[in-house]
Amino acid sequence: MSARPETFRNLDIGSGVRANAARFPDKIAIRQGDRTLSYGALGQRMARVANGVRAAGIGAGRTVAILSANLPEYFEVVAGASAKGAAVATVNPRQTEAEIRAILDDCDAGLVFADPTSAEIARAATDAPLRVFGADYEGWLAKASDSDPGPPPEEWQTFAIPYTSGTTGKPKGVCLSHRSRVMSFFAFASVYGCFGTGDRFLVTTPLFHGGGFAFPMATLFLGGEVELMPHYAPDLLLSMLAEGRHSGTFMVPTQFHGMFDLAPRDQARLSAHRLSSVICNAAPLPEETKLQVLDRFGDGVLHETYGSTEAGVITNLYPHQMRAKQNCAGRPIVGQQVRLLDEAGHAVVRGEIGELFANGPTLFNGYWKRPEATQEAMRDGWFSAGDLARMDEDGFLYILDRRKDMILSGGVNIYPRDIEEVLFTLPGVAEATVVGVPDPRWGEAVCAFLRPDGEAPDAETVLALCRERLAPHKVPKHVRYIDEIPRNVAGKVLKRVLREKAAGTS
């Protein structure tokens, strides 16, 4: 094996920030309300975190954890702690104490960082040392050196461990390497074009989520400005976008629904935005919602991507393709390869349905302490999130459903998204989702859950439209109304919860 050239440099997520701190130290890196943090200050504080974590005896192969709302400290902890090889478990602070304890025990965190709101539940969930943002954290930071923490970690080392949402079971820790995310950052620059030195990126989603962290961290790596919302609310998001100060943002479909529930005169203010890229990911974007986005934001702005925490962004449908390709997730982005396989592992022909496998430089290292789960998700070095898709003759992908969400009724495969797209066109329906429920005759029956928007259509109206637009076996056997469709923080529908709720359907 040949030796590394003398010019070799590891790719680590903090290197971009350190380079930016050297070339424009006074430039604003992060903004939240009246608070700003320059690149120079961010680089210095990252160094203090790195040295403080090392002084606590936590180095390569060890973990720390963070439970926090979106704050500037989030970036300095993740980029700083990982600079000496530690991995940072990014934990959802809105979970129950038992759920948080299970994750902190699973990742074996040797040090925990928390915002003041999350400090109490963090103390209850772990015996590990705790640093609370505010006076306690600032005091700890002041005692640490701001000198260069030394050589960076190997680029394949894990820098972060976000936990999967648990839509189908117990959450798993996803081990992300420095290299995988830096390669993502370069790909983002190529695809979305809103992360440069003249850009300001608005953060609307939680930083503990994979995509929620990756897009703003790409901005900091590439020299742009990150703005964190003080808190999330649909009216505040609309107001900030309407100010016309941002060039890019990442949103999930449920956030669009929240804005579109506001008064039409408020929505009209979106015409003032200067966004060049609105990136949508984490859950399928219904065609009806997509058309609303194009109507309010204008053509030439929306990107719909497909990916996962484990694999990063895999495909993208560009703004100029939005109206030509319906219910489409686009084609693979730079560096990514995909293939669709049947249950026997054979490639399917174009137009047929198969399980989507991806391969590229942004793949994860595996699941934390779950080699069996890692092996189950991989096939010959290719990763699958369990999604079913088809590819058209032009190479565009159409994500149908998760394999586990497919409904088998009377021996026929039914894909819930086909039905959901029809339900979304009904006046009076704000959101719709479909699950399979046990049925003594058919094995599984289709059950539709609807969240009304004003006066809801009655069940017979719903079924009449379905009979008109769908094959008979796809028409729901049950229609249920619900005040709120359960979702995780990424906006993905918790169909497991709905199946449990529908278990009594007769």
Side-chain angles (χ1 to χ4, degrees):
M1 184 175 180
S2 60
R4 291 180 179 178
E6 186 178 344
T7 54
F8 176 83
R9 296 293 182 272
N10 278 299
L11 298 175
D12 71 285
I13 64 161
S15 60
V17 175
R18 293 191 294 272
N20 294 330
R23 61 177 176 154
F24 33 58
D26 297 327
K27 184 181 187 299
I28 292 175
I30 305 172
R31 180 189 303 272
Q32 188 173 46
D34 295 332
R35 182 183 177 191
T36 60
L37 189 67
S38 69
Y39 270 103
L42 176 59
Q44 183 183 66
R45 289 168 71 86
M46 282 167 45
R48 289 185 182 276
V49 170
N51 289 320
V53 168
R54 180 170 57 183
I58 300 171
R62 296 286 308 281
T63 60
V64 302
I66 181 168
L67 290 84
S68 177
N70 289 5
L71 293 171
E73 287 87 349
Y74 213 105
F75 299 99
E76 59 198 43
V77 165
V78 176
S82 64
K84 294 308 297 177
V88 185
T90 55
V91 185
N92 177 0
R94 295 199 289 267
Q95 296 178 108
T96 66
E97 179 186 322
E99 291 170 324
I100 291 173
R101 181 184 296 110
I103 289 175
L104 295 180
D105 287 346
D106 184 66
C107 72
D108 193 26
L111 178 63
V112 177
F113 297 88
D115 65 19
T117 303
S118 308
E120 183 177 349
I121 197 168
R123 288 192 183 96
T126 182
D127 295 326
L130 178 67
R131 298 270 72 97
V132 181
F133 296 144
D136 173 67
Y137 174 75
E138 295 300 326
W140 175 80
L141 212 61
K143 294 176 183 177
S145 169
D146 64 357
S147 62
D148 184 344
E154 300 286 5
E155 60 184 21
W156 56 81
Q157 284 185 247
T158 296
F159 86 90
I161 311 176
Y163 274 74
T164 60
S165 54
T167 55
T168 59
K170 184 179 178 181
K172 299 185 290 289
V174 181
C175 297
L176 301 178
S177 71
H178 286 271
R179 176 181 172 81
S180 72
R181 280 308 176 255
V182 172
M183 295 303 290
S184 289
F185 301 161
F186 291 137
F188 293 168
S190 168
V191 174
Y192 304 114
C194 60
F195 301 105
T197 56
D199 292 306
R200 181 184 291 181
F201 194 86
L202 180 63
V203 180
T204 73
T205 58
L207 293 174
F208 57 77
H209 177 253
F213 182 81
F215 289 114
M217 192 66 217
T219 309
L220 296 175
F221 191 93
L222 297 164
E225 180 182 320
V226 167
E227 180 162 13
L228 301 170
M229 294 181 67
H231 63 276
Y232 175 73
D235 56 343
L236 177 60
L237 174 56
L238 187 147
S239 177
M240 294 184 73
L241 291 175
E243 290 173 0
R245 297 184 292 110
H246 307 94
S247 51
T249 191
F250 166 59
M251 295 173 62
V252 299
T254 188
Q255 292 178 315
F256 292 123
H257 297 149
M259 285 200 300
F260 298 159
D261 285 343
L262 300 174
R265 69 175 181 276
D266 293 327
Q267 297 175 35
R269 297 170 58 206
L270 284 174
S271 60
H273 76 80
R274 73 173 186 92
L275 291 162
S276 60
S277 295
V278 174
I279 306 163
C280 183
N281 183 238
L285 183 63
E287 192 68 18
E288 192 74 12
T289 305
K290 182 172 79 174
L291 294 175
Q292 288 181 287
V293 174
L294 298 180
D295 179 55
R296 289 161 175 79
F297 285 83
D299 286 42
V301 175
L302 180 64
H303 293 257
E304 184 173 5
T305 75
Y306 166 77
S308 64
T309 304
E310 293 93 336
V313 172
I314 299 170
T315 71
N316 186 65
L317 186 69
Y318 287 84
H320 69 275
Q321 300 164 335
M322 281 290 155
R323 295 190 184 273
K325 296 289 184 178
Q326 295 187 352
N327 301 319
C328 182
R331 287 187 282 207
I333 68 168
V334 58
Q336 298 289 2
Q337 300 179 70
V338 301
R339 61 187 185 186
L340 303 182
L341 305 180
D342 62 20
E343 291 187 3
H346 302 133
V348 303
V349 300
R350 292 199 173 187
E352 290 189 358
I353 296 168
E355 184 175 350
L356 193 156
F357 286 80
N359 200 350
T362 61
L363 282 179
F364 70 147
N365 286 347
Y367 294 113
W368 175 259
K369 297 194 297 189
R370 302 277 188 88
E372 299 85 0
T374 304
Q375 187 176 9
E376 184 181 345
M378 303 294 295
R379 179 174 292 183
D380 299 327
W382 294 64
F383 170 79
S384 171
D387 291 315
L388 299 173
R390 65 177 177 84
M391 181 180 288
D392 68 16
E393 291 302 318
D394 299 320
F396 286 82
L397 281 162
Y398 300 79
I399 310 300
L400 300 174
D401 269 298
R402 291 186 67 84
R403 183 176 58 193
K404 294 178 180 178
D405 290 335
M406 185 181 70
I407 301 168
L408 184 61
S409 182
V412 178
N413 293 341
I414 299 173
Y415 302 99
R417 189 171 182 184
D418 292 343
I419 307 166
E420 291 164 355
E421 290 290 342
V422 171
L423 296 174
F424 261 101
T425 66
L426 278 162
V429 172
E431 293 183 273
T433 193
V434 168
V435 299
V437 297
D439 185 275
R441 179 177 180 182
W442 302 103
E444 281 188 298
V446 176
C447 180
F449 281 87
L450 307 178
R451 180 174 74 83
D453 178 17
E455 185 175 350
D458 59 38
E460 187 50 45
T461 301
V462 174
L463 295 176
L465 179 67
C466 290
R467 293 188 192 104
E468 178 186 331
R469 301 270 298 275
L470 297 167
H473 64 279
K474 296 182 181 181
V475 175
K477 296 288 192 299
H478 313 283
V479 177
R480 300 186 64 173
Y481 300 87
I482 192 169
D483 292 334
E484 183 178 359
I485 291 178
R487 297 177 182 271
N488 64 19
V489 294
K492 294 180 181 178
V493 176
L494 296 172
K495 293 199 172 186
R496 168 177 50 83
V497 174
L498 290 175
R499 281 191 287 267
E500 293 170 357
K501 184 182 289 289
T505 302
S506 58

